[in-house]
Amino acid sequence: MYKNMLKRTKGIVAGAFIIAGMLGSAFPVHAAPQVSDRDINIRVESVSKSFKSVPARYKETNTKVYVKLTSSPTTYIQVRTYGNRKTASSYYNETHGITATVRRSVPSSITNFIYENRNKYSGKKTLMAQLRLRSNTSAAGTVTGVWSPDSTRNYTVVN
């Protein structure tokens, strides 16, 4: 009786693996989130001027945008996250609270609605994220660092 029950259990487990394998191949595989860091090297204007943008990147998840600034003209830099939720060429500010303030040398997470608003406004499957920066004071200068549109974890949440 014990041997029959063991054979039956093995058969059920083997069947479950076969079914799981067949189902797994029926679903499309999505690209990995854009969590690799890209360099930021941009000249920003004073707080009274416009934000300057870095090249856009694909956004794959609803995670926060990651930013770490290594040099800047001031300790704090104003940052906004933009997404192209409606068209390929028009970007909208999707930053929670409109503007985030990032401190130099502090790994930071920026709350945004880029991914969430893709379905609300257009149902787009792929979208781009863009980072825009400006000084937090009257000082202008070069900002360097790294950023990623998707993040594997939360760092210092700045907004």
Side-chain angles (χ1 to χ4, degrees):
M1 183 160 127
Y2 177 72
K3 286 183 181 182
N4 286 339
M5 198 157 76
L6 185 60
K7 282 182 183 178
R8 210 175 291 143
T9 303
K10 284 181 181 180
I12 291 170
V13 170
F17 278 115
I18 290 170
I19 291 171
M22 290 184 334
L23 286 176
S25 64
F27 295 102
V29 176
H30 294 286
Q34 297 295 312
V35 296
S36 61
D37 292 345
R38 285 272 171 87
D39 289 338
I40 297 170
N41 189 342
I42 190 168
R43 180 163 173 76
V44 296
E45 302 294 331
S46 71
V47 71
S48 63
K49 304 277 177 130
S50 63
F51 285 79
K52 300 298 178 182
S53 59
V54 299
R57 296 180 61 191
Y58 284 105
K59 176 104 172 113
E60 305 283 342
T61 68
N62 64 349
T63 60
K64 294 177 180 4
V65 169
Y66 168 74
V67 177
K68 183 178 180 189
L69 305 177
T70 52
S71 67
S72 59
T74 59
T75 304
Y76 294 94
I77 295 294
Q78 293 182 1
V79 180
R80 290 182 177 170
T81 57
Y82 285 75
N84 67 336
R85 60 176 130 122
K86 288 186 182 178
T87 67
S89 60
S90 297
Y91 283 81
Y92 298 87
N93 186 356
E94 303 285 8
T95 311
H96 174 68
I98 301 174
T99 302
T101 303
V102 175
R103 183 181 175 126
R104 183 178 53 227
S105 301
V106 176
S108 302
S109 295
I110 301 174
T111 307
N112 66 88
F113 304 107
I114 298 169
Y115 190 79
E116 292 82 354
N117 284 340
R118 82 193 191 293
N119 283 332
K120 182 177 179 184
Y121 293 100
S122 68
K124 290 177 78 168
K125 299 283 185 229
T126 61
L127 65 157
M128 302 295 282
Q130 190 179 70
L131 204 62
R132 297 185 187 178
L133 304 93
R134 77 175 175 194
S135 178
N136 201 39
T137 69
S138 60
T142 301
V143 174
T144 61
V146 294
W147 81 290
S148 175
D150 295 310
S151 184
T152 57
R153 58 174 259 207
N154 285 338
Y155 297 87
T156 300
V157 179
V158 295
N159 63 334

